[in-house]
Amino acid sequence: MIHRAIVRLGAYARLVRLDRPIGIWLLMWPAMWALWLSSNGDPDERVFLVFVAGTVLTRSAGCAINDFADRQYDGHVARTKGRPLVTGEVRPAEAVGLCCVLGVAALGLVSTLNRQTQVLALAGGVLLLTYPLMKRFFPAPQLYLGAAFTWSVPMAFAAHNGGMPRAAWLLFAAGLLWTVAYDTMYAMVDRDDDRALGIRSTAILFGDADRLVVGIMQAAMLITIWLAGRELHLGAWHAGGVTAAALFALHQQFLIRRRGRTECMKAFANNNYVGMVIFAGIALEYLFRS
């Protein structure tokens, strides 16, 4: 019985991608940027803990419902044919149930924050849960995902000061552009399979211009996040973080130059360092300012 329980828990963990935490980090970084910027480098401890735990819970819930929605397609895609719902290790009803449990837990955490943050959290939950449907008919589902993944920015500003200044909108735009750029790299891995199955993605939409469009979005993201810092009077440390992020973006362009699946996946994963160095620049700015 213990062995069966361990096997089942392992299947649940793989369903929600706990063995692949890159998605947690990519969802976490915009939240960390916003928490520090909305609090002048001194985030409220309770708000910080809610956002960290909420990020893990919502990403996990999103993975469960995404695999439930894609269970008829994943078996035909090389990268996803070993997922627990495809192999039968987890039943569809279990995936839905797990998503509900995780979602309720996340909402329970948000209920400890102010009303505006709670309303925004509900809207963000709808974005995350409906994203899998966008891949059926919307030609740029990565844009929808970008809004969902960056929804933590208005939530963080609402939790700390109840408003959305211009810097917050700039930060939201930067996070959205970043998400579309790195998820297009991710979609480039599955482009041939997705095209055959009728799944939409920006990798298919952009076609041969994919690298150029991704590069434009990367540049726009870096400029926008620099403008957000300028709006808040950040200086050299923040600029240094943005510069380091630009170097990682150039490395990613080098990786995807031939559009190989392995290299595109490496470029996607490399975005963790982009989020990290931008956050480091923000945190160091406030640390040495004080």
Side-chain angles (χ1 to χ4, degrees):
M1 290 179 63
I2 295 175
H3 175 71
R4 286 199 298 270
I6 292 173
V7 170
R8 180 50 58 98
L9 288 173
Y12 287 161
R14 285 185 287 110
L15 174 68
V16 300
R17 314 280 202 283
L18 291 183
D19 58 327
R20 297 181 180 179
I22 179 65
I24 293 174
W25 286 114
L26 293 175
L27 187 60
M28 185 83 71
W29 290 125
M32 295 297 101
W33 305 342
L35 285 172
W36 257 250
L37 291 174
S38 63
S39 64
N40 293 315
D42 186 26
D44 178 86
E45 182 178 351
R46 177 165 55 89
V47 173
F48 173 78
L49 292 174
V50 167
F51 271 73
V52 170
T55 296
V56 177
L57 290 170
T58 53
R59 189 262 183 165
S60 299
C63 288
I65 200 64
N66 181 78
D67 282 12
F68 171 77
D70 289 350
R71 65 192 187 280
Q72 304 299 330
Y73 298 91
D74 283 346
H76 302 284
V77 178
R79 184 180 54 81
T80 59
K81 62 183 180 181
R83 287 180 174 175
L85 275 173
V86 177
T87 62
E89 297 171 82
V90 176
R91 296 188 297 272
E94 292 177 289
V96 174
L98 184 58
C99 175
C100 291
V101 169
L102 294 169
V104 169
L107 290 175
L109 288 173
V110 175
S111 68
T112 64
L113 304 180
N114 61 39
R115 180 59 60 86
Q116 185 179 2
T117 309
Q118 293 172 16
V119 172
L120 287 170
L122 287 172
V126 171
L127 285 172
L128 200 63
L129 293 174
T130 54
Y131 161 69
L133 301 177
M134 295 297 110
K135 294 181 286 185
R136 307 292 187 268
F137 64 89
F138 186 46
Q142 281 71 22
L143 186 64
Y144 196 85
L145 182 70
F149 261 50
T150 318
W151 202 251
S152 57
V153 171
M155 287 178 59
F157 277 86
H160 274 139
N161 51 47
M164 277 287 286
R166 184 164 59 180
W169 288 113
L170 288 168
L171 194 67
F172 179 80
L176 191 152
L177 286 165
W178 182 44
T179 305
V180 177
Y182 69 64
D183 206 59
T184 298
M185 299 177 197
Y186 189 75
M188 288 167 70
V189 177
D190 299 331
R191 177 159 38 198
D192 293 339
D193 292 326
D194 287 346
R195 187 181 287 115
L197 293 169
I199 300 296
R200 309 296 181 90
S201 77
T202 46
I204 295 173
L205 178 66
F206 299 152
D208 292 339
D210 49 5
R211 289 181 56 213
L212 174 62
V213 178
V214 167
I216 292 171
M217 287 190 292
Q218 288 175 312
M221 173 265 189
L222 293 166
I223 293 170
T224 306
I225 205 161
W226 176 77
L227 288 172
R230 185 180 181 186
E231 183 75 17
L232 295 171
H233 310 290
L234 303 188
W237 285 107
H238 175 252
V242 174
T243 302
L247 294 176
F248 282 116
L250 288 173
H251 175 60
Q252 292 160 21
Q253 281 291 320
F254 176 78
L255 286 173
I256 67 173
R257 70 193 186 284
R258 294 193 179 94
R259 300 178 176 87
R261 291 193 177 200
T262 301
E263 289 74 20
C264 287
M265 185 60 76
K266 288 180 179 178
F268 162 75
N270 187 260
N271 278 277
N272 182 37
Y273 299 111
V274 172
M276 182 188 301
V277 295
I278 290 173
F279 173 70
I282 293 170
L284 289 170
E285 186 75 38
Y286 286 113
L287 175 65
F288 290 111
R289 176 186 292 185
S290 59

